[in-house]
Amino acid sequence: MYEKKQQYEEKFRQVMGLEEQLSHLKDNDRENVQRLDLIEYQLEEIKEAKLKQQEDEELTAEQYKLANMEKLFSQMQLAYEALYGDEKGLELVREAMVALQESASIDQSLEEINDSLTNNFYMLEEVTFQIRDHVEQLDYDPNRLDFISNRLDEINHLKRKYGSTIEEVLLYAERITKEAEELSNLDEKIESVEKDLHTHKAQALSLAQSLSKSRKHAAKQLKEAIEMELKDLFMEKTSFTVQFQPHRRGIIVEKGEEVFTLNEEGLERMEFYLSSNPGEPEKSLSKVASGGEISRIMLALKSILTDRSERTALIFDEVDTGVSGRVAGAIGEKIYAISNESQVLCITHLPQVASLANTHMYIKKRETNNRVSTEVEELNDDQRIDELARMLSGSEITTNTKETAREMLSSKKA
């Protein structure tokens, strides 16, 4: 049964986890819908912009160029005029080149200088042509400048919302695209969790029913065993049962037209019922049993379960409360029988119970310097007789009570 209980508890934890997951998904459904609407709006805004990597840097450079077109044109024109215009800068270099060529024909040591000047002349000539071509291509378009300004405003607007650079904006778009896909599949996710939950609930119910069957079988055996034990404790007229009641709260599981409630303990809760006298209806043990009856029932339970328990020691703290006479003797014999299977520590005020112990420990309190301490002393044979005699007669120990105590100990040994 222990393995069944473990299997059920594990399955119940799985059901609880799925219930929590499903509740979370459904509770957040409205928020998810709102989030999906926002993501779709943002994606559309970024998509319509058709951003390109480093586009803002290129447009900024072009904007600066157009804004300074007049200055650019004048400076380029000035450069060209200096080289090829009225100032004839390039022409003067040509004259120098021709003169140096003639000089080199006379003095061969000037050959290297001549080559250098010739190369530089042709280089300057090429630069002049490039300046001319660039000036001819310069075209100021105010509409283009307006377009760039508007485009940069659009890009900066997106950067303020989604990232400090175009690259970050595009990465943000990739990220929310994946999130949108997940949110779009939310209904499928809920359906999947509901399907898993239904399967695990059915499995949990099957395990709970199997556990319940085993419990009811064990409850029948427990009833017979306890009633047998109670006979030895002079409760032979007592009727004892274990009743099963469905849980009021828990996880609801439907099977056909039947509805079951499960919690971490299983399909139902269990309660001990008792009838002390024939003809009386059984009632809850907690409501009808006297102190003495509860003590004997607890002793009966421990007697039955001792050989099935892994405990190596049992403590009985005044389990004989509310009884006396022959019932106390029967309780003592039961405790003694249990001590054959486990170590037993018994706290008692009844000599009938105490006399059956193998060892007696006397517990007393001592006050020293306004501090109370507890001392435990193992009694020798004479001390055992004295303490049993005191339990029999009270504070005054007489010869008769000591003799009775000695006989009680001797009977135990016999």
Side-chain angles (χ1 to χ4, degrees):
M1 188 188 298
Y2 178 72
E3 291 182 357
K4 287 185 177 181
K5 181 73 184 320
Q6 282 188 315
Q7 291 174 356
Y8 170 76
E9 288 176 343
E10 175 62 26
K11 182 58 64 176
F12 184 80
R13 283 193 291 269
Q14 292 175 2
V15 171
M16 288 292 293
L18 289 170
E19 285 268 7
E20 183 177 351
Q21 183 182 1
L22 183 62
S23 176
H24 178 74
L25 288 172
K26 289 184 175 180
D27 288 345
N28 292 339
D29 189 42
R30 178 176 299 177
E31 294 180 8
N32 290 334
V33 170
Q34 293 174 347
R35 174 62 179 167
L36 183 58
D37 289 342
L38 175 62
I39 288 175
E40 290 176 345
Y41 168 78
Q42 292 176 342
L43 285 174
E44 185 64 24
E45 186 177 29
I46 296 173
K47 182 180 179 181
E48 287 182 354
K50 298 179 181 179
L51 297 174
K52 298 177 183 178
Q53 294 284 5
Q54 298 180 334
E55 180 185 3
D56 51 344
E57 297 176 7
E58 295 173 358
L59 288 175
T60 300
E62 186 179 357
Q63 183 186 45
Y64 181 78
K65 173 184 171 181
L66 290 173
N68 294 276
M69 181 62 72
E70 183 177 352
K71 182 179 180 180
L72 175 63
F73 181 84
S74 64
Q75 293 300 317
M76 290 293 292
Q77 188 68 32
L78 180 62
Y80 179 76
E81 290 294 334
L83 290 170
Y84 207 78
D86 294 338
E87 297 182 17
K88 300 180 179 179
L90 190 60
E91 187 63 29
L92 293 174
V93 175
R94 183 193 297 274
E95 291 177 3
M97 180 185 69
V98 171
L100 191 58
Q101 285 176 349
E102 292 180 1
S103 299
S105 66
I106 300 170
D107 184 357
Q108 293 183 353
S109 64
L110 298 172
E111 198 65 47
E112 185 176 348
I113 299 175
N114 176 57
D115 291 341
S116 178
L117 180 59
T118 301
N119 291 332
N120 285 316
F121 170 78
Y122 289 120
M123 185 182 298
L124 281 171
E125 188 177 47
E126 177 63 27
V127 170
T128 302
F129 295 154
Q130 290 178 357
I131 292 174
R132 180 197 64 196
D133 293 341
H134 193 83
V135 170
E136 290 176 353
Q137 292 173 4
L138 289 177
D139 182 24
Y140 176 71
D141 185 357
N143 294 329
R144 176 64 180 173
L145 184 59
D146 290 341
F147 168 80
I148 292 175
S149 298
N150 294 333
R151 179 61 174 170
L152 286 174
D153 287 343
E154 181 183 13
I155 292 174
N156 290 330
H157 172 72
L158 294 176
K159 286 162 62 176
R160 283 193 297 271
K161 293 176 67 175
Y162 307 123
S164 58
T165 64
I166 288 180
E167 183 179 5
E168 290 183 6
V169 173
L170 295 175
L171 287 174
Y172 176 78
E174 291 181 10
R175 187 168 67 251
I176 62 175
T177 297
K178 295 178 181 178
E179 184 180 354
E181 291 175 356
E182 294 177 358
L183 293 175
S184 298
N185 296 328
L186 183 61
D187 290 340
E188 295 179 8
K189 180 64 175 177
I190 291 175
E191 184 179 350
S192 175
V193 173
E194 286 178 335
K195 184 177 179 181
D196 288 345
L197 180 60
H198 179 76
T199 299
H200 281 73
K201 276 186 174 183
Q203 294 171 349
L205 177 60
S206 178
L207 290 171
Q209 289 175 327
S210 176
L211 180 61
S212 179
K213 183 178 179 180
S214 298
R215 280 172 169 168
K216 289 176 180 178
H217 178 71
K220 183 178 179 181
Q221 293 178 321
L222 181 64
K223 168 185 170 63
E224 295 172 355
I226 284 186
E227 289 181 350
M228 184 68 68
E229 291 287 335
L230 291 178
K231 287 181 181 179
D232 297 337
L233 296 172
F234 302 99
M235 293 178 68
E236 61 275 0
K237 304 294 184 181
T238 298
S239 171
F240 176 91
T241 59
V242 181
Q243 294 195 14
F244 295 79
Q245 303 292 338
H247 297 299
R248 296 187 181 92
R249 296 179 180 178
I251 294 178
I252 303 300
V253 182
E254 297 182 1
K255 184 178 181 181
E257 296 182 355
E258 294 183 276
V259 178
F260 302 90
T261 303
L262 303 179
N263 73 1
E264 63 275 5
E265 295 297 328
L267 193 57
E268 63 270 300
R269 57 187 178 87
M270 291 147 284
E271 190 172 0
F272 294 158
Y273 273 66
L274 182 74
S275 173
S276 302
N277 301 303
E280 291 184 2
E282 292 180 345
K283 296 182 180 180
S284 175
L285 174 65
S286 61
K287 296 180 180 179
V288 299
S290 63
E293 289 173 334
I294 291 177
S295 297
R296 281 177 276 180
I297 291 171
M298 287 300 299
L299 182 57
L301 280 169
K302 291 187 176 183
S303 298
I304 295 167
L305 300 176
T306 296
D307 58 342
R308 303 183 186 184
S309 173
E310 296 180 357
R311 297 183 181 90
T312 58
L314 290 172
I315 298 177
F316 292 97
D317 186 3
E318 298 188 19
V319 71
D320 46 25
T321 300
V323 300
S324 59
R326 62 175 186 169
V327 176
I331 288 177
E333 291 172 1
K334 282 290 180 187
I335 295 175
Y336 184 77
I338 294 174
S339 71
N340 291 324
E341 301 293 338
S342 302
Q343 182 183 26
V344 172
L345 301 176
C346 179
I347 302 171
T348 182
H349 295 287
L350 295 181
Q352 296 94 324
V353 177
S355 64
L356 296 174
N358 294 323
T359 302
H360 288 92
M361 311 295 290
Y362 183 72
I363 303 173
K364 60 183 177 181
K365 292 183 178 180
R366 182 188 301 276
E367 183 176 346
T368 305
N369 297 327
N370 295 323
R371 296 294 301 273
V372 177
S373 60
T374 301
E375 297 180 359
V376 180
E377 177 186 0
E378 182 176 352
L379 303 180
N380 59 32
D381 289 345
D382 291 337
Q383 291 172 322
R384 292 170 71 186
I385 292 172
D386 288 345
E387 289 304 322
L388 280 176
R390 185 175 289 108
M391 293 172 75
L392 286 165
S393 62
S395 59
E396 184 179 352
I397 301 176
T398 64
T399 302
N400 290 336
T401 54
K402 290 183 69 172
E403 185 62 29
T404 301
R406 187 177 289 106
E407 290 178 358
M408 293 176 71
L409 291 174
S410 298
S411 299
K412 179 264 175 185
K413 291 180 180 179

